[in-house]
């Protein structure tokens, strides 16, 4: 497999076989759905999904720019294409939900949360950020953006969002 685990030494950010076994069905189902939804023409994929996900995890872990992706991985353009599509299609959200449910089951809890805590944070922005994309946290006297999250007791992020700057209302209610 080009760029696969068998042709190179693994990086610390690469998935173990056990972790790959958890996420592989979701990614394979996504690729099959894309193949069926397409016009039925075009060449078959040249890179396996595991090497693409390993490359995404490498960029996430190291903070390296996409263009600096090591040559052992598929081309950075291919990796970024998959990253953008998976983000747009909600694949990362599906994987996050799957892993959260597995953690909760392992802890002996119900797979779906029944309560949540909402936390928010004000983040300062640079002077070069357009004023239309920022707001003011009057209580903290911070000009910037607000982000909110809903962590679970085991530390997993259940939901994250950034309300628009002009939003004066509370974050969306939990759909627990």
């Amino acid at each position: 497999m080009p760029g696969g685990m068998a042709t190179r030494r693994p990086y610390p950010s690469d998935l173990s076989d056990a972790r790959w076994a958890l996420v592989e069905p979701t990614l394979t189902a996504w690729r099959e759905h894309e193949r069926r939804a397409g016009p039925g023409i075009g060449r078959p994929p040249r890179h396996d999904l595991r090497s693409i996900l390993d490359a995404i995890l490498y960029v996430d872990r190291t903070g390296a720019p996409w263009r600096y992706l090591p040559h052992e991985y598929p081309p950075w353009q291919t990796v970024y294409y998959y990253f953008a599509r998976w983000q747009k299609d909600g694949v990362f959200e599906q994987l996050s939900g799957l892993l959260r449910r597995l953690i909760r089951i392992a802890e002996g809890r119900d797979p779906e949360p029944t309560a949540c805590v909402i936390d928010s944070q004000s983040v300062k922005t640079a002077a070069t950020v357009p004023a239309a994309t920022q707001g003011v946290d009057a209580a903290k006297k911070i000009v910037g953006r607000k982000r909110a999250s809903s962590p679970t007791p085991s530390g997993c992020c259940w939901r994250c969002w950034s309300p628009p700057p002009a939003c004066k209302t509370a974050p969306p209610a939990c759909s627990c």
Side-chain angles (χ1 to χ4, degrees):
M1 284 183 226
M5 291 287 288
T7 61
R8 64 174 176 82
R9 247 179 55 209
Y11 286 95
S13 58
D14 288 351
L15 289 173
S16 66
D17 291 339
R19 289 180 178 173
W20 171 246
L22 293 174
V23 300
E24 187 268 334
T26 303
L27 298 180
T28 302
W30 176 86
R31 183 178 262 176
E32 183 62 25
H33 177 267
E34 289 296 303
R35 189 185 65 76
R36 287 187 182 162
I41 57 173
R43 64 178 185 231
R46 287 182 24 203
H47 304 285
D48 65 297
L49 293 170
R50 184 173 183 168
S51 65
I52 292 169
L53 183 57
D54 282 342
I56 292 170
L57 293 173
Y58 177 87
V59 169
D60 179 58
R61 181 71 177 109
T62 64
W66 291 105
R67 291 176 186 262
Y68 289 9
L69 201 58
H71 296 290
E72 295 92 12
Y73 290 119
W76 74 266
Q77 297 94 331
T78 302
V79 175
Y80 183 77
Y81 168 81
Y82 275 87
F83 169 77
R85 286 299 307 272
W86 289 347
Q87 189 174 29
K88 178 180 170 273
D89 293 346
V91 172
F92 293 123
E93 199 169 303
Q94 287 176 20
L95 292 175
S96 179
L98 168 71
L99 297 175
R100 183 192 68 243
R101 286 188 295 277
L102 291 173
I103 289 169
R104 291 181 60 86
I105 290 169
E107 293 174 342
R109 303 171 67 141
D110 190 294
E112 293 299 326
T114 55
C116 64
V117 175
I118 299 173
D119 189 16
S120 67
Q121 179 181 34
S122 298
V123 182
K124 291 182 182 179
T125 53
T128 57
V129 174
T133 65
Q134 31 184 4
V136 177
D137 184 338
K140 296 180 184 173
K141 298 180 177 71
I142 292 177
V143 175
R145 294 187 177 135
K146 195 164 221 163
R147 62 182 173 201
S149 66
S150 180
T152 64
S154 55
C156 298
C157 185
W158 185 61
R159 291 249 194 257
C160 294
W161 63 92
S162 295
C167 182
K168 304 291 184 223
T169 61
C174 287
S175 57
C176 303

